[in-house]
Amino acid sequence: MSDLIVIGFDSQDEATAALTECKKLEKEYLLDLEDAVVVVRTADGKLHLQQSVNLEKVGASYGLFSGGFWGALVGLLCLNPLAGFVAGSIVGAGAGAIAGKMSDYGIDDNFIKSLGATIPANTSALFVLVRKSQPDKVLADLRTFKGHARVLQTSLSPENENKLRAALGQMAAPAPAA
């Protein structure tokens, strides 16, 4: 089961730097990200989402290849496979791009926008959906953001959440009211 972690940062650039660090950890097999999104709130209050997986490009690529294949196959039946390939590729790429634009992968975009609306202007947040990790090594690496980051929300256990807060130089989460 994946864990959602949302960390807020004091500047607009730090969430992107943290995502770069997470991708570095992923290459070292210390972290396995399912999805990651950087949210930046500009001085005028507008939210900008930077998805780590561009579904529009993925859909267009898949549509291009599958449309080209099926177009060539249909064109072969009509004795003009080149025209079928070209037409199928164009239609497939367009349909794939539209399907990618309309689909949602990983973290729900509505959740990202609603939580992103709560961060102050000129700040950023990093939303990560983690499949698995090596917590001690990841926390040691995230200490570089100590004092500049705060945990906004997690689905971690209270013990692991407190370890993350300590690594970021934040007080432990308040105990739930009985």
Side-chain angles (χ1 to χ4, degrees):
M1 184 173 158
S2 299
D3 287 314
L4 175 68
I5 302 168
V6 184
I7 301 175
F9 294 91
D10 296 336
S11 76
Q12 293 183 15
D13 302 331
E14 285 181 299
T16 305
L19 178 58
T20 302
E21 192 65 30
C22 287
K23 290 192 182 263
K24 184 184 100 179
L25 291 170
E26 196 170 28
K27 287 180 183 176
E28 295 172 6
Y29 300 102
L30 298 174
L31 190 62
D32 185 12
L33 296 177
E34 186 173 333
D35 191 17
V37 179
V38 171
V39 176
V40 176
R41 188 175 190 118
T42 56
D44 59 3
K46 290 187 180 178
L47 283 180
H48 299 278
L49 274 60
Q50 301 164 5
Q51 303 275 354
S52 65
V53 177
N54 187 340
L55 293 175
E56 197 171 341
K57 286 182 183 176
V58 171
S61 299
Y62 177 76
L64 177 75
F65 292 118
S66 65
F69 171 76
W70 288 109
L73 190 62
V74 170
L76 189 62
L77 295 173
C78 299
L79 301 177
N80 196 347
L82 183 60
F85 175 76
V86 171
S89 297
I90 292 169
V91 170
I98 290 170
K101 183 93 172 157
M102 296 176 72
S103 62
D104 190 17
Y105 172 79
I107 307 168
D108 182 40
D109 286 348
N110 293 326
F111 171 74
I112 294 170
K113 290 175 185 173
S114 68
L115 189 56
T118 65
I119 65 173
N122 287 323
T123 61
S124 59
L126 175 62
F127 291 69
V128 290
L129 198 56
V130 179
R131 283 189 199 107
K132 58 184 175 179
S133 68
Q134 298 294 324
D136 295 334
K137 294 179 181 180
V138 172
L139 289 175
D141 212 54
L142 290 179
R143 282 185 179 33
T144 58
F145 299 99
K146 190 171 189 169
H148 303 281
R150 64 206 165 284
V151 176
L152 299 179
Q153 187 165 347
T154 72
S155 64
L156 296 171
S157 68
E159 178 186 334
N160 288 337
E161 183 176 342
N162 287 335
K163 286 180 182 179
L164 176 61
R165 287 178 186 276
L168 297 175
Q170 199 177 2
M171 292 177 52

